[in-house]
Amino acid sequence: MTAGVTEQMRVAVVGSGGREHALATVLGRTAEVLVTPGNPGIPGSVPLDPESLGPDVVDLVVVGPEAPLVDGLADRLRASGQRVVGPGADGARLEGSKAWMKELFVEAGIPTARHAAFDEVEPALAFLGTLGDLFVIKTDGLAAGKGVVVTESRREAEEAVRDYLSGAAFGEAGRRIVVEEGLVGPELSVFALSDGRRAVPMGAARDHKRIGDGDTGPNTGGMGAFSPVPGCGEDLVDQIMDGAITPTVAALARRGIDYRGFLFCGLMLTPEGPKVLEYNVRFGDPEAEVVLPRFTGDLVALLAAAADGNLGAASASFDDGAAVTVVCAAPGYPTAPVVGSPITGVAEAAALDGVQIFCAGVQADPDRPGGLLTAGGRVLAVTGQGPDVAAARQRAYDAVDRIHFDGMQVRQDIALSGL
Ligand code: AMP
Ligand code: GLY
């Protein structure tokens, strides 16, 4: 640790998607930022071994995705004396084991769906019989966001129980499952930043998980998002901080876990009040692309304070406007994305007022200097900002209209429910 937060710090962001592009953009307002491995659409991308990011290389490391956190990257970097935003492997169990997360909820009195964890078929099938008419089966371990079945069909639920527990569906990640009651209501994602003792709210958003308009078709990592969410203002966020996030940080601390990093609280707003569906131990994607552009202030100083375990009285502030992010996805996504198509119109779209483009699944086009080809399922996240959701939405879609690649999939109804 060489530089104080008042000098220009050197910050490394670990990851390669739109979330990391958004983090790097906002951190880049006040720091020198490198992204590793990044991608050819993110300035400052450089392929480095994340394990090498000690205090001799950068002053702060921000880990984007969950997998390296679950794998203990933050622990190893901290052992080298590095400041890190992202929990150690102990705290990352919040995302890495749903059964463990649920135990913590019960202990801390955090409202969540009625549930039980199983590693054998018969008791899991018996528990299904005690639930209402919407059944939810989840892998205990990480399953790349695909390990959840929500169904009204008892037979389908029973099949999922068998397929998961046999290892047929998700291998080891499914050999332990959580079975729970289905909840209904609008979903909300609330973000927070913890220093191990205290958490500050970091914005809220709603994403669109299904591939198709009108929430049809298979689940994806997220096809778009908007922020703020009408009806989900400061009062509701305060209620969620007091009822869920602050007790979670306290319950972690009671277990000896010094959680320094982002908390992504996924909730359902049920008629009985907000209930927590899950935590992720990172920022959301594409939620980062819609929340972070609205951040006002010095994100570097805030993240460094959290990494130092010393948020003090700091808080995060956001502009009064709105942001809407529309994802441009490859054909075949989410099942089997077809990649390698030239992408055009990005520079023209990015030049529009109130528009930012965050690059995710892209690769350099060997035939066009500076040009990009598609390289993954979610290719670009296009963010529009404006005084309200309608204006932001208009800007995002105006930008998307200028972008082209073969078979591009774009939902046309992002943020319509936020107008
Ligand atoms: P999770 O990975 O736990 O967030 O689950 C992914 C998605 O499955 C959530 O965003 C919800 O849309 C849905 N889901 C999870 N748990 C429940 C539940 N108990 N009731 C209804 N839907 C759920
Ligand atoms: N958009 C949901 C996620 O980041 O998991």
Side-chain angles (χ1 to χ4, degrees), residues 389-404:
V389 170
R393 183 173 190 276
Q394 184 67 46
R395 286 184 162 162
Y397 278 107
D398 282 350
V400 167
D401 283 345
R402 290 167 164 78
I403 296 170
H404 177 82

Side-chain angles (χ1 to χ4, degrees), residues 19 207 209 221-222 264 280 282-287:
R19 165 183 51 215
D207 80 343
K209 287 210 168 72
F264 167 165
N280 297 303
R282 50 174 175 79
F283 228 101
D285 192 348
E287 291 89 337

Side-chain angles (χ1 to χ4, degrees), residues 189-191 262-266 278-280 282-285 287:
S189 302
V190 174
F191 299 91
F262 293 116
L263 279 164
F264 167 165
C265 185
E278 65 158 352
Y279 274 110
N280 297 303
R282 50 174 175 79
F283 228 101
D285 192 348
E287 291 89 337

